[in-house]
Amino acid sequence: MGPRHRTAGGVAVLALLPLTLLGCGIGGDDEGGAAAPQRAPAEQASAKSRERVQAYLDAMTAKDVAAGRSQLCAPMHEAFDAAATGPNGDFADHFEVVGATITDIRTGPRGQEVSTSVTVTAGARELVRPLLFTVTRAGADWCISGEAPGGHTPAPAGTP
């Protein structure tokens, strides 16, 4: 009788386990089943990338070097410190950022690629320059790990 009780007890535990896990919120499909967990990391990456780049663009507009630096990954700090306020730096004194817009976000080989359009004035001249930022995850946070001229053409509306 001993082995039969253990088997019955094991079956009872296995039968109740799914109900217990559902009560804890594990295994439910309130958000579309298996597709929801796969979608969440991509949505989070896009949102965090947009947040970091927008904060950097806002810092450029305000000429707030410290706020701009704080959006960058640690390995970029030294180069940023050397070039940010120089003649070609994002925070140079001889021009003013009058507009900055995020135009596209997509996954790239090194992280999230955020395309922007930055409008600057230098004297009487107004120039629009595309910049491409790469945003990566660094531990529990996100940071800008690269900046380069150019960017992606925005994807047509309704395209994944």
Side-chain angles (χ1 to χ4, degrees):
M1 223 181 208
R4 182 178 244 188
H5 283 288
R6 276 184 261 163
T7 303
V11 169
V13 168
L14 289 176
L16 293 174
L17 184 61
L19 296 174
T20 304
L21 292 176
L22 283 174
C24 295
I26 300 173
D29 70 358
D30 294 335
E31 299 205 11
Q38 294 172 354
R39 208 172 43 234
E43 289 172 1
Q44 179 189 25
S46 179
K48 292 294 185 176
S49 297
R50 176 179 293 281
E51 180 182 297
R52 285 295 178 182
V53 171
Q54 187 61 56
Y56 188 84
L57 296 174
D58 292 346
M60 282 175 50
T61 301
K63 297 255 189 238
D64 186 341
V65 176
R69 185 182 197 272
S70 71
Q71 303 310 312
L72 304 176
C73 297
M76 290 189 64
H77 288 178
E78 188 175 327
F80 175 83
D81 293 344
T85 58
N88 294 317
D90 290 346
F91 297 82
D93 286 333
H94 67 278
F95 67 82
E96 181 181 347
V97 176
V98 294
T101 307
I102 294 173
T103 59
D104 186 68
I105 301 174
R106 62 180 70 177
T107 302
R110 292 184 179 97
Q112 293 296 111
E113 294 180 346
V114 182
S115 299
T116 64
S117 176
V118 179
T119 304
V120 298
T121 58
R125 289 182 48 189
E126 183 173 282
L127 302 166
V128 178
R129 294 289 182 238
L131 289 176
L132 180 66
F133 293 91
T134 302
V135 180
T136 56
R137 191 169 191 151
D141 208 359
W142 295 80
C143 58
I144 297 172
S145 59
E147 176 186 347
H152 299 292
T153 303
T159 329

